[in-house]
Amino acid sequence: MTPVGRWARSIPSWQLTLGAALLVLGFLVAAQLAAQGPRVRYTTQERTPLIETATQLQAQQDELKGAILDLRSRIQEVEQVGQGSAVVVRQLNADLQDARIAAGLIPLTGTGIVIQLEDSLEPVAPDGNEGDYLVEARDLRAVVEELWIAGAEAISINAERITPTTAVIDVGPSILVNSSYIAGPYQVTALGPADLYSRLAAAPGFVDLIRARSQPFGIRVSFAEPDSVDLAAFAGTVTLRYARPLPSPTAVAPASSAP
C-alpha cells in the first residue's frame, strides 16, 4: 500500500462524508450564482419598457373610464329629452283628438237626448202661410243653437253630424244638412251631460221657440232620453277650397324708415 493510501485509510469516514457534502454544496452555490447573473441582467433590461407599457395601459383605461362616464351622461340627457318629448307628443295627440271631435270626424257614444220635430197636422188657417205649419231649417238651426248653449258636446240631425262648417238650409220641400237632403220627421240627437234635458227645458230661448212654433201652428216636438245615444262621424270633406291662412304678424318684417 502506498503512502497516500495509508493516509486515506487513516482519515475517519465522517470527515470524508462531510467533505463530499461540502463539495456538492459548493457546486450548487456556484451554479446558482452563475444562473442568477443573466436573470438579473434580463430583469434590469426589461424593467423600463414594462413600466412604460403599464403606464400607457393605465392611461388608456382612464380614457375609457372617462368615455363611459361621458356616454352615461349623454344617455341620461337623451332619456330626459325623450321623456319631455313623450309628454309633448301625448299632449299633441290629446289636442288632435279634441280637434277631431270638434270637427265631427270621430263617432261618439254616450249620454244624451233626442228631440224630434214633425210637421203640423192642423189645417192651415184661411189667411195663414202653409210654410208656418212645416218644420223649417230655421227651426232646426234654433234647436241646435239652444243645445250648444245647454252644454251639448256633439249634435247630429237625421244622422248628419253637425260641424263648424255645417249649413242647414231649406231646399224646396226638404232641408239640406251638409250635403244631404233630409225629410221629416227630423231627429236632432245631442250628446252631452246627464242633465242636458233639464238644462235645455229650462233655457228661455228653447221655451220661447216651442211656444212660438207649437202653440200657434201645431209643430209637434217630442223628447226621448235613452240610456245612450250614438253619433256617426262626419262623412263629408273638410277641405276649404276658398280659404287661405293669414300671415303671422311676427312673420311680417317692419318697414324700415327712410333716413
Side-chain angles (χ1 to χ4, degrees):
M1 179 177 299
T2 63
V4 175
R6 288 194 299 271
W7 176 78
R9 290 181 60 87
S10 63
I11 298 175
S13 59
W14 64 270
Q15 291 182 358
L16 294 175
T17 302
L18 178 60
L22 291 175
L23 180 63
V24 172
L25 179 61
F27 176 78
L28 292 176
V29 170
Q32 180 69 21
L33 291 175
Q36 183 72 16
R39 185 175 66 84
V40 172
R41 288 194 300 271
Y42 174 79
T43 303
T44 303
Q45 292 174 358
E46 296 296 329
R47 181 178 180 83
T48 301
L50 288 176
I51 292 176
E52 293 178 355
T53 302
T55 303
Q56 292 176 358
L57 291 176
Q58 183 65 41
Q60 292 178 1
Q61 186 177 17
D62 293 339
E63 291 179 0
L64 291 175
K65 289 181 179 179
I68 291 173
L69 294 176
D70 182 61
L71 289 175
R72 286 178 178 175
S73 177
R74 292 184 182 182
I75 290 173
Q76 291 178 355
E77 292 177 358
V78 171
E79 288 177 346
Q80 292 176 357
V81 172
Q83 292 175 356
S85 299
V87 173
V88 173
V89 170
R90 285 195 297 268
Q91 184 61 43
L92 289 176
N93 287 333
D95 294 343
L96 179 60
Q97 185 76 353
D98 293 340
R100 286 175 174 171
I101 292 175
L105 302 179
I106 297 177
L108 299 175
T109 184
T111 59
I113 60 175
V114 179
I115 304 173
Q116 180 166 290
L117 289 81
E118 297 179 82
D119 296 337
S120 174
L121 297 178
E122 297 181 3
V124 179
D127 56 348
N129 182 3
E130 183 178 359
D132 293 336
Y133 294 82
L134 304 176
V135 177
E136 298 178 338
R138 60 187 176 95
D139 300 321
L140 298 179
R141 290 195 299 267
V143 171
V144 169
E145 181 179 354
E146 292 298 328
L147 283 169
W148 289 131
I149 295 174
E153 299 173 3
I155 303 173
S156 67
I157 301 177
N158 286 24
E160 281 294 324
R161 187 73 168 269
I162 303 301
T163 72
T165 60
T166 296
V168 182
I169 57 177
D170 292 310
V171 179
S174 62
I175 297 177
L176 180 66
V177 179
N178 293 325
S179 58
S180 298
Y181 294 94
I182 61 176
Y186 304 96
Q187 289 189 347
V188 182
T189 304
L191 184 148
D195 61 343
L196 181 60
Y197 173 76
S198 59
R199 291 186 184 184
L200 182 66
F206 185 75
V207 173
D208 293 340
L209 173 66
I210 298 301
R211 289 175 179 172
R213 299 295 287 141
S214 294
Q215 294 178 1
F217 303 107
I219 297 296
R220 292 172 291 167
V221 181
S222 58
F223 299 87
E225 198 172 6
D227 294 335
S228 65
V229 295
D230 299 323
L231 275 72
F234 174 61
T237 178
V238 294
T239 302
L240 299 177
R241 293 177 297 173
Y242 303 105
R244 64 179 183 275
L246 291 174
S248 174
T250 57
V252 179
S256 59
S257 58

